[in-house]
Amino acid sequence: MHYAIVINLDYASYPEESCKALWQEIRLRMMEAGFRCDGRIFTIRRDEVEACQLARDVIENIEQHMDYHNKRIFRYIKEFYGFDMSCTTNLLLPADDSILLEDNLEQDA
């Protein structure tokens, strides 16, 4: 099972330099924890409970070891949620009902 964690920072409310530095730290720590990064989505082969707890642990660990203008890291985070990748639909691919399969089995005559 693939599980995904989405993290988006609040670039509108905080300095871009601070958000960029924080994002680099989040990305590095999430990847060290076993997540694969694809844009702002981190994926891992774990169940929901394990993946969410691991992601929370990573973020809380960053907060314990870093000082971002004396503010909590969660203030910088605009979105922080998870979802099961089996629930996603890739809109770059054709719809399932538009895929036609041909039966090319040759029959012995």
Side-chain angles (χ1 to χ4, degrees):
M1 159 192 289
H2 274 93
Y3 200 79
I5 303 293
V6 175
I7 301 174
N8 286 311
L9 301 181
D10 189 357
Y11 282 85
S13 301
Y14 295 96
E16 184 175 347
E17 301 80 34
S18 298
C19 289
K20 281 185 176 181
L22 178 57
W23 175 252
Q24 290 302 318
E25 188 65 24
I26 290 171
R27 185 178 184 279
L28 175 68
R29 299 276 186 101
M30 290 290 282
M31 291 178 71
E32 286 176 348
F35 287 90
R36 181 178 172 274
C37 183
D38 185 14
R40 301 289 183 192
I41 299 175
F42 296 94
T43 58
I44 194 166
R45 283 187 161 281
R46 300 256 180 116
D47 67 37
E48 176 182 357
V49 174
E50 290 178 26
C52 290
Q53 187 59 53
L54 185 56
R56 284 187 193 102
D57 290 347
V58 168
I59 297 302
E60 288 172 4
N61 190 315
I62 293 171
E63 175 155 306
Q64 290 175 5
H65 293 95
M66 303 189 79
D67 179 27
Y68 287 96
H69 306 288
N70 297 318
K71 296 181 181 176
R72 295 196 66 217
I73 190 173
F74 290 98
R75 291 184 182 174
Y76 283 81
I77 298 176
K78 184 176 181 178
E79 297 175 315
F80 184 37
Y81 61 89
F83 62 92
D84 186 335
M85 292 293 291
S86 67
C87 297
T88 61
T89 301
N90 185 344
L91 298 176
L92 295 173
L93 299 175
D96 289 343
D97 59 358
S98 68
I99 299 173
L100 301 175
L101 298 176
E102 290 185 21
D103 186 5
N104 287 334
L105 296 176
E106 293 182 28
Q107 297 180 359
D108 292 331

